[in-house]
Amino acid sequence: MKMIMKKYFLLMAAMFMAFVCVKAQDIQLVTVQHGSEMQAFYGPDGFKNAMAAAQKGDVISLSGGNFNSATIDKAVTIQGAGYVQDVKNNRYKTLFIGDVNINLPEGESGLYIEGICTYNNFNIQGNVSSMSIARCLMTNYVEVKSESNNLTFLHCRINCLKLTGVSHSALVRNCTIQDFYG
């Protein structure tokens, strides 16, 4: 009897773990790190809520999953899970739904974005200084509409890069860009 109960318990534990692994993608988690304090936000609006709560210099980390985009108006670090989806190995991309708009206040610098994917437009406006975008997939267009200084793209896949504003210095390194304007 004990052996049957033990096998039943192990079977139930294995089924529970399999369910948790399958359902892990359903949980969209965003954290905001401010010094030694951390806040957590959940669901598709987790990124919007995190941006509203974040302060300049904070680190926003996103799990894999789909998140509604928000206007990025603070110089923060945004770290996604990446843009490659590999369900077999339990790796999910961080996908922003809707246009990504960056509009930092005058004089604010140091925005860093890494590991996100968007199928919509990526608009950079306002005076941008010391901004880096790394390991991101942008399948529509990225448009820099304003004056930029020290703009860096590293290891990105970009469908169309439009530099319609004034760019004092820009570095595009190890990126794939289908179309380029400006």
Side-chain angles (χ1 to χ4, degrees):
M1 184 69 164
K2 283 186 181 183
M3 186 60 100
I4 294 173
M5 290 300 289
K6 185 176 182 179
K7 285 182 182 179
Y8 177 76
F9 176 75
L10 289 174
L11 176 65
M12 293 305 289
M15 288 176 53
F16 176 75
M17 290 305 292
F19 177 76
V20 168
C21 289
V22 168
K23 297 303 280 178
Q25 174 57 22
D26 293 344
I27 301 171
Q28 296 120 321
L29 171 64
V30 182
T31 61
V32 177
Q33 186 74 38
H34 178 75
S36 62
E37 299 173 16
M38 186 176 75
Q39 291 179 298
F41 302 93
Y42 299 93
D45 285 331
F47 179 66
K48 284 183 174 185
N49 297 332
M51 274 307 303
Q55 299 175 36
K56 180 181 177 181
D58 287 356
V59 176
I60 299 174
S61 299
L62 297 99
S63 68
N66 299 342
F67 296 93
N68 296 322
S69 63
T71 297
I72 300 168
D73 57 359
K74 300 167 189 141
V76 294
T77 296
I78 300 169
Q79 297 174 326
Y83 65 82
V84 176
Q85 183 122 330
D86 183 3
V87 177
K88 181 180 175 186
N89 292 311
N90 213 20
R91 293 186 188 128
Y92 299 94
K93 64 185 169 197
T94 299
L95 177 66
F96 281 170
I97 305 297
D99 288 354
V100 176
N101 296 301
I102 296 172
N103 194 357
L104 298 180
E106 182 76 34
E108 197 157 319
S109 65
L111 176 63
Y112 181 81
I113 300 172
E114 180 177 358
I116 66 161
C117 173
T118 182
Y119 301 137
N120 297 91
N121 300 326
F122 200 96
N123 303 301
I124 302 170
Q125 50 209 18
N127 291 331
V128 177
S129 181
S130 299
M131 183 175 101
S132 297
I133 300 174
R135 290 177 271 296
C136 292
L137 172 65
M138 295 160 255
T139 63
N140 206 359
Y141 70 77
V142 176
E143 184 171 8
V144 182
K145 300 178 179 182
S146 58
E147 188 172 344
S148 64
N149 213 355
N150 296 327
L151 179 59
T152 304
F153 292 94
L154 298 170
H155 307 286
C156 292
R157 293 174 55 196
I158 302 169
N159 182 48
C160 180
L161 178 58
K162 297 179 180 182
L163 298 177
T164 57
V166 177
S167 181
H168 294 288
S169 61
L171 172 67
V172 179
R173 188 171 191 179
N174 293 335
C175 293
T176 301
I177 301 172
Q178 181 142 351
D179 293 313
F180 179 79
Y181 300 99

